[in-house]
Amino acid sequence: MERTSIIDALKQNKELAHITVCGWVRTRRDSKTFTFLELNDGSCLSNIQCILDENTEAYKALEGVNTGAAVKISGKLVESLGKGQHFEIQAIEMTVFGLADSETFPLQKKRHSDEYLRTIAHLRPRTNKFGAIFRVRSEAAHAVHSYFHNNGFFYVHTPILTGADCEGAGEMFRVSTLPVNTNGEIIQKNKEENIFQNDFFGKEAKLTVSGQLEAETLATGLGKVYTFGPTFRAENSNTPRHAAEFWMIEPEAAFMDLQGNMSLGEGLVQHVTKHVMEHCEEDLALFNKFVEPTLLDSLKATVEKDFQRISYRDAVKLLQNCGKEFEYAVSFGTDLQTEHERFLAEEYFKSPVTVHDYPKGIKAFYMRMNDDNETVAAMDLLVPRIGELVGGSQREERLDTLTKRIIELGQDPADFWWYLDLRRFGSVPHAGFGLGFERLVMMLTGVSNIRDVIPFPRTVGSLEF
Ligand code: 4AD
Ligand code: MG
């Protein structure tokens, strides 16, 4: 179907004798001899105004056309005398694809709450705010790829179905084809057998929490790689920052240490922010006006200022002596809570900050042991309003130390035979991180709930659509 996107129509610098646009009617205003339709096609935040004069064929097709209707309008693109737009369309013909009954169409021209819009997640892309969020999400994804591509990283695909628990946190969804009886119980013919022996893979299968372990294998062949794909966590945490299904970006590079890893993460956040500021100006202005009034200032600072770095040890001292009352006390060895992370980024440094060298007791088995035998070469990048955006580390490349850590954490090294092989054959210092893509989109838009930056959020107790 031949049509001009509204974004392109509005960008014209001269009048056109003929143009066709398609879209959904946002508003209809009738006067005595003509009707105005504001049309949006999702290509940008702005609508294009169409004037349907009573003497045209287009006017005759107006019956029942209201907010929500899908139409095609052909006419002349002319300079607008009205305020707020350069160009408008003098309609000649209109085709109506689908009407939307004003009695029942839920998106009438008024502001709806985020909570209400979540219940109609299938329709919310047609609102200004969610159109803008999903355009920013798309642009940010492009920028992620361009950053790694520009830096010589290969894009690799790691499995979603897995038998390994990367984080060792046991927060995984099980995937099974085992038949169940009418009570929902697994039918087990031979009670002696391991129940998963008869399952699809002949062993217990899960949805991955991270592609890191597989990415490490690719990095030790291709050098520099990254994944960008869905990951799953069965954490029972009902917070504005946790989803059961989210997208993670995981670079992994051979011959890279913790310092290089921190720089890579900082560079990624700055690159994506800059790209979105350049390509989504109109959408960001909307967020700054209606969602988060400090957004543009904070994005500008993110791009222009160097990020801060602080060791976990110093961060703990700082939090203990800052004079602020926290709900949870901090001491060496405890994990930082979101309130601590936000204090550091938002109030103390007033910028993104990377905390590094955490105590081994609160981090995963694969992180490289430091010489103090007490901390590991871990890093978390914390950002204002959100807290942890990135988690990563230099990886333990020494076979003995890694095997010891696996055993210490109650796991069986035999389950990790292939992962340990990377340390048996041509082992190298290497490092990587995971960045939660939804949290990045929250940072870029000022949206405070993860449920609103993913088209169909999956959270505890919620699986509609
Ligand atoms: O810190 P995490 O758990 O790190 C890993 O999974 C590593 N294997 C990554 C690596 O080194 N390759 O998760 C990484 C990031 C977090 O910093 C956070 O931004 C995001 O993933 N994340 C979540 N985002 C949304 N909902 C959840 N439930 C999340 N859990 C983690
Ligand atoms: Mg983490």
Side-chain angles (χ1 to χ4, degrees), residues 6-8 10 40-47 135 282-283:
I6 290 173
I7 189 172
D8 293 332
L10 293 172
N40 188 287
D41 68 357
S43 60
C44 61
L45 182 67
S46 295
N47 304 324
R135 278 188 295 275
E282 195 186 26
D283 291 327

Side-chain angles (χ1 to χ4, degrees), residues 363 380 388 391:
K363 291 291 179 189
D380 276 8
E388 181 188 338

Side-chain angles (χ1 to χ4, degrees), residues 8 77 188 210 221 235 252 307 320 391 447:
D8 293 332
L77 187 75
Q188 196 178 7
S210 160
E235 297 166 284
E252 195 68 39
F307 291 10
Q320 284 170 337
V447 168

Side-chain angles (χ1 to χ4, degrees), residues 382-400:
L382 318 176
V383 298
R385 292 194 309 274
I386 290 159
E388 181 188 338
L389 173 66
V390 170
S393 73
Q394 187 169 335
R395 316 307 187 189
E396 184 55 76
E397 84 284 11
R398 296 162 295 189
L399 181 63
D400 294 355

Side-chain angles (χ1 to χ4, degrees), residues 24 26 68 100 104-108 112 116-131 134 455-456 465:
W24 293 269
R26 283 295 173 82
T104 50
F105 182 54
L107 293 176
Q108 294 305 321
H112 299 284
Y116 171 66
L117 289 172
R118 273 172 223 150
T119 68
I120 50 166
H122 59 305
L123 295 174
R124 64 181 183 170
R126 297 192 211 174
T127 64
N128 281 345
K129 181 171 168 182
F130 286 87
F134 299 139
F456 298 103
F465 309 106

Side-chain angles (χ1 to χ4, degrees), residues 227-379:
T227 70
F228 186 173
T231 44
F232 306 86
R233 304 243 169 136
E235 297 166 284
N236 205 343
S237 39
N238 211 338
T239 83
R241 283 172 299 277
H242 289 86
E245 176 177 312
F246 61 99
W247 284 62
M248 191 151 46
I249 296 142
E250 297 186 273
E252 195 68 39
F255 316 109
M256 185 169 78
D257 60 13
L258 188 65
Q259 297 297 317
N261 204 23
M262 288 195 263
S263 303
L264 186 72
E266 294 160 354
L268 171 62
V269 174
Q270 287 189 314
H271 172 86
V272 176
T273 306
K274 190 158 178 271
H275 179 95
V276 166
M277 287 177 82
E278 282 166 7
H279 291 83
C280 304
E281 214 178 325
E282 195 186 26
D283 291 327
L284 294 187
L286 177 92
F287 301 132
N288 202 65
K289 194 163 170 203
F290 295 113
V291 177
E292 173 55 60
T294 65
L295 180 71
L296 289 178
D297 287 339
S298 87
L299 295 183
K300 198 159 169 273
T302 300
V303 170
E304 287 172 0
K305 277 175 49 184
D306 283 342
F307 291 10
Q308 305 287 320
R309 291 181 188 179
I310 185 171
S311 71
Y312 168 90
R313 207 180 281 279
D314 290 344
V316 166
K317 283 190 206 133
L318 192 159
L319 289 164
Q320 284 170 337
N321 300 323
C322 69
K324 191 176 162 107
E325 286 280 320
F326 292 109
E327 194 184 333
Y328 295 91
V330 218
S331 61
F332 188 93
T334 57
D335 213 351
L336 299 184
Q337 301 294 321
T338 301
E339 55 172 344
H340 308 130
E341 296 177 336
R342 288 187 57 176
F343 172 81
L344 289 173
E346 233 160 277
E347 295 179 45
Y348 189 83
F349 290 113
K350 297 186 169 51
S351 112
V353 52
T354 309
V355 180
H356 52 86
D357 295 301
Y358 282 74
K360 64 173 178 181
I362 54 171
K363 291 291 179 189
F365 71 91
Y366 51 70
M367 298 195 178
R368 191 178 197 279
M369 187 66 66
N370 287 328
D371 292 342
D372 61 12
N373 247 321
E374 196 177 23
T375 59
V376 288
M379 61 176 234

